[in-house]
PDB file of all heavy atoms in Angstrom:
ATOM      1  N   HIS A1346      -7.877  -0.836   5.351  1.00  0.00           N
ATOM      2  CA  HIS A1346      -7.782   0.241   4.384  1.00  0.00           C
ATOM      3  C   HIS A1346      -9.123   1.006   4.294  1.00  0.00           C
ATOM      4  O   HIS A1346      -9.153   2.234   4.280  1.00  0.00           O
ATOM      5  CB  HIS A1346      -7.392  -0.388   3.048  1.00  0.00           C
ATOM      6  CG  HIS A1346      -7.067   0.607   1.983  1.00  0.00           C
ATOM      7  ND1 HIS A1346      -6.760   0.236   0.694  1.00  0.00           N
ATOM      8  CD2 HIS A1346      -6.985   1.949   2.000  1.00  0.00           C
ATOM      9  CE1 HIS A1346      -6.485   1.319  -0.016  1.00  0.00           C
ATOM     10  NE2 HIS A1346      -6.640   2.350   0.725  1.00  0.00           N
ATOM     11  N   HIS A1350     -10.201   5.005   5.322  1.00  0.00           N
ATOM     12  CA  HIS A1350     -10.902   5.959   4.469  1.00  0.00           C
ATOM     13  C   HIS A1350     -12.187   6.488   5.147  1.00  0.00           C
ATOM     14  O   HIS A1350     -12.564   7.621   4.921  1.00  0.00           O
ATOM     15  CB  HIS A1350     -11.359   5.262   3.166  1.00  0.00           C
ATOM     16  CG  HIS A1350     -10.288   5.302   2.112  1.00  0.00           C
ATOM     17  ND1 HIS A1350     -10.379   6.066   0.958  1.00  0.00           N
ATOM     18  CD2 HIS A1350      -9.051   4.679   2.050  1.00  0.00           C
ATOM     19  CE1 HIS A1350      -9.290   5.889   0.226  1.00  0.00           C
ATOM     20  NE2 HIS A1350      -8.487   5.042   0.841  1.00  0.00           N
ATOM     21  N   TRP A1356      -8.259   8.903   8.431  1.00  0.00           N
ATOM     22  CA  TRP A1356      -8.048   9.401   7.070  1.00  0.00           C
ATOM     23  C   TRP A1356      -6.901  10.409   7.021  1.00  0.00           C
ATOM     24  O   TRP A1356      -6.127  10.454   6.068  1.00  0.00           O
ATOM     25  CB  TRP A1356      -9.324  10.022   6.484  1.00  0.00           C
ATOM     26  CG  TRP A1356      -9.040  10.827   5.251  1.00  0.00           C
ATOM     27  CD1 TRP A1356      -9.009  12.174   5.140  1.00  0.00           C
ATOM     28  CD2 TRP A1356      -8.694  10.305   3.962  1.00  0.00           C
ATOM     29  NE1 TRP A1356      -8.643  12.541   3.843  1.00  0.00           N
ATOM     30  CE2 TRP A1356      -8.428  11.405   3.137  1.00  0.00           C
ATOM     31  CE3 TRP A1356      -8.539   8.998   3.457  1.00  0.00           C
ATOM     32  CZ2 TRP A1356      -8.018  11.264   1.788  1.00  0.00           C
ATOM     33  CZ3 TRP A1356      -8.159   8.865   2.120  1.00  0.00           C
ATOM     34  CH2 TRP A1356      -7.886   9.969   1.305  1.00  0.00           C
ATOM     35  N   HIS A1359      -3.929   8.456   6.362  1.00  0.00           N
ATOM     36  CA  HIS A1359      -3.911   7.817   5.028  1.00  0.00           C
ATOM     37  C   HIS A1359      -3.866   8.839   3.907  1.00  0.00           C
ATOM     38  O   HIS A1359      -3.406   8.534   2.824  1.00  0.00           O
ATOM     39  CB  HIS A1359      -5.135   6.932   4.919  1.00  0.00           C
ATOM     40  CG  HIS A1359      -5.116   6.001   3.723  1.00  0.00           C
ATOM     41  ND1 HIS A1359      -4.080   5.136   3.477  1.00  0.00           N
ATOM     42  CD2 HIS A1359      -5.994   5.862   2.671  1.00  0.00           C
ATOM     43  CE1 HIS A1359      -4.336   4.485   2.341  1.00  0.00           C
ATOM     44  NE2 HIS A1359      -5.483   4.915   1.849  1.00  0.00           N
ATOM     45  N   HIS A1362      -0.705   9.230   1.863  1.00  0.00           N
ATOM     46  CA  HIS A1362      -0.482   8.342   0.713  1.00  0.00           C
ATOM     47  C   HIS A1362      -1.269   8.826  -0.488  1.00  0.00           C
ATOM     48  O   HIS A1362      -0.802   8.747  -1.637  1.00  0.00           O
ATOM     49  CB  HIS A1362      -0.894   6.919   1.101  1.00  0.00           C
ATOM     50  CG  HIS A1362      -0.611   5.899  -0.004  1.00  0.00           C
ATOM     51  ND1 HIS A1362       0.647   5.712  -0.502  1.00  0.00           N
ATOM     52  CD2 HIS A1362      -1.437   5.056  -0.653  1.00  0.00           C
ATOM     53  CE1 HIS A1362       0.596   4.779  -1.428  1.00  0.00           C
ATOM     54  NE2 HIS A1362      -0.646   4.357  -1.549  1.00  0.00           N
ATOM     55  N   HIS A1363      -2.471   9.375  -0.236  1.00  0.00           N
ATOM     56  CA  HIS A1363      -3.337   9.820  -1.348  1.00  0.00           C
ATOM     57  C   HIS A1363      -2.925  11.200  -1.861  1.00  0.00           C
ATOM     58  O   HIS A1363      -3.517  11.686  -2.844  1.00  0.00           O
ATOM     59  CB  HIS A1363      -4.802   9.798  -0.952  1.00  0.00           C
ATOM     60  CG  HIS A1363      -5.403   8.408  -1.054  1.00  0.00           C
ATOM     61  ND1 HIS A1363      -5.930   7.921  -2.213  1.00  0.00           N
ATOM     62  CD2 HIS A1363      -5.471   7.412  -0.146  1.00  0.00           C
ATOM     63  CE1 HIS A1363      -6.315   6.683  -2.019  1.00  0.00           C
ATOM     64  NE2 HIS A1363      -6.047   6.330  -0.746  1.00  0.00           N
ATOM     65  N   HIS A1437      -5.432  -0.169  -9.114  1.00  0.00           N
ATOM     66  CA  HIS A1437      -4.973   0.659  -8.016  1.00  0.00           C
ATOM     67  C   HIS A1437      -4.848   2.123  -8.384  1.00  0.00           C
ATOM     68  O   HIS A1437      -5.012   3.019  -7.558  1.00  0.00           O
ATOM     69  CB  HIS A1437      -3.671   0.118  -7.392  1.00  0.00           C
ATOM     70  CG  HIS A1437      -3.396   0.717  -6.053  1.00  0.00           C
ATOM     71  ND1 HIS A1437      -4.210   0.493  -4.947  1.00  0.00           N
ATOM     72  CD2 HIS A1437      -2.467   1.608  -5.628  1.00  0.00           C
ATOM     73  CE1 HIS A1437      -3.740   1.172  -3.935  1.00  0.00           C
ATOM     74  NE2 HIS A1437      -2.673   1.864  -4.286  1.00  0.00           N
ATOM     75  N   HIS A1440      -7.858   3.733  -7.577  1.00  0.00           N
ATOM     76  CA  HIS A1440      -7.995   4.032  -6.136  1.00  0.00           C
ATOM     77  C   HIS A1440      -7.420   5.394  -5.822  1.00  0.00           C
ATOM     78  O   HIS A1440      -7.848   6.067  -4.889  1.00  0.00           O
ATOM     79  CB  HIS A1440      -7.320   2.925  -5.307  1.00  0.00           C
ATOM     80  CG  HIS A1440      -7.431   3.167  -3.807  1.00  0.00           C
ATOM     81  ND1 HIS A1440      -8.635   3.067  -3.151  1.00  0.00           N
ATOM     82  CD2 HIS A1440      -6.534   3.575  -2.899  1.00  0.00           C
ATOM     83  CE1 HIS A1440      -8.467   3.367  -1.885  1.00  0.00           C
ATOM     84  NE2 HIS A1440      -7.183   3.675  -1.701  1.00  0.00           N
ATOM     85  N   HIS A1441      -6.422   5.815  -6.578  1.00  0.00           N
ATOM     86  CA  HIS A1441      -5.751   7.110  -6.335  1.00  0.00           C
ATOM     87  C   HIS A1441      -6.341   8.245  -7.166  1.00  0.00           C
ATOM     88  O   HIS A1441      -5.874   9.382  -7.095  1.00  0.00           O
ATOM     89  CB  HIS A1441      -4.249   6.998  -6.675  1.00  0.00           C
ATOM     90  CG  HIS A1441      -3.439   6.335  -5.605  1.00  0.00           C
ATOM     91  ND1 HIS A1441      -2.829   7.030  -4.609  1.00  0.00           N
ATOM     92  CD2 HIS A1441      -3.182   5.027  -5.364  1.00  0.00           C
ATOM     93  CE1 HIS A1441      -2.165   6.183  -3.802  1.00  0.00           C
ATOM     94  NE2 HIS A1441      -2.377   4.958  -4.206  1.00  0.00           N
ATOM     95  N   ASN A1451     -11.901   0.167  -4.789  1.00  0.00           N
ATOM     96  CA  ASN A1451     -10.676  -0.602  -5.013  1.00  0.00           C
ATOM     97  C   ASN A1451      -9.720  -0.581  -3.806  1.00  0.00           C
ATOM     98  O   ASN A1451      -8.578  -0.118  -3.904  1.00  0.00           O
ATOM     99  CB  ASN A1451      -9.940  -0.101  -6.258  1.00  0.00           C
ATOM    100  CG  ASN A1451     -10.773  -0.214  -7.511  1.00  0.00           C
ATOM    101  OD1 ASN A1451     -11.938  -0.681  -7.467  1.00  0.00           O
ATOM    102  ND2 ASN A1451     -10.242   0.176  -8.645  1.00  0.00           N
ATOM    103  N   PHE A1452     -10.217  -1.086  -2.661  1.00  0.00           N
ATOM    104  CA  PHE A1452      -9.413  -1.059  -1.449  1.00  0.00           C
ATOM    105  C   PHE A1452      -8.422  -2.225  -1.332  1.00  0.00           C
ATOM    106  O   PHE A1452      -7.456  -2.141  -0.584  1.00  0.00           O
ATOM    107  CB  PHE A1452     -10.350  -1.139  -0.201  1.00  0.00           C
ATOM    108  CG  PHE A1452     -11.190   0.076  -0.005  1.00  0.00           C
ATOM    109  CD1 PHE A1452     -12.567   0.044  -0.254  1.00  0.00           C
ATOM    110  CD2 PHE A1452     -10.640   1.269   0.440  1.00  0.00           C
ATOM    111  CE1 PHE A1452     -13.353   1.160  -0.053  1.00  0.00           C
ATOM    112  CE2 PHE A1452     -11.424   2.400   0.645  1.00  0.00           C
ATOM    113  CZ  PHE A1452     -12.784   2.338   0.400  1.00  0.00           C
TER     114      PHE A1452
HETATM  115 ZN1  LIG B2798      -6.504   4.422   0.132  1.00  0.00          ZN
END
Side-chain angles (χ1 to χ4, degrees):
H1346 189 183
H1350 274 249
W1356 166 255
H1359 191 55
H1362 185 58
H1363 280 273
H1437 195 66
H1440 181 69
H1441 281 268
N1451 300 1
F1452 292 108

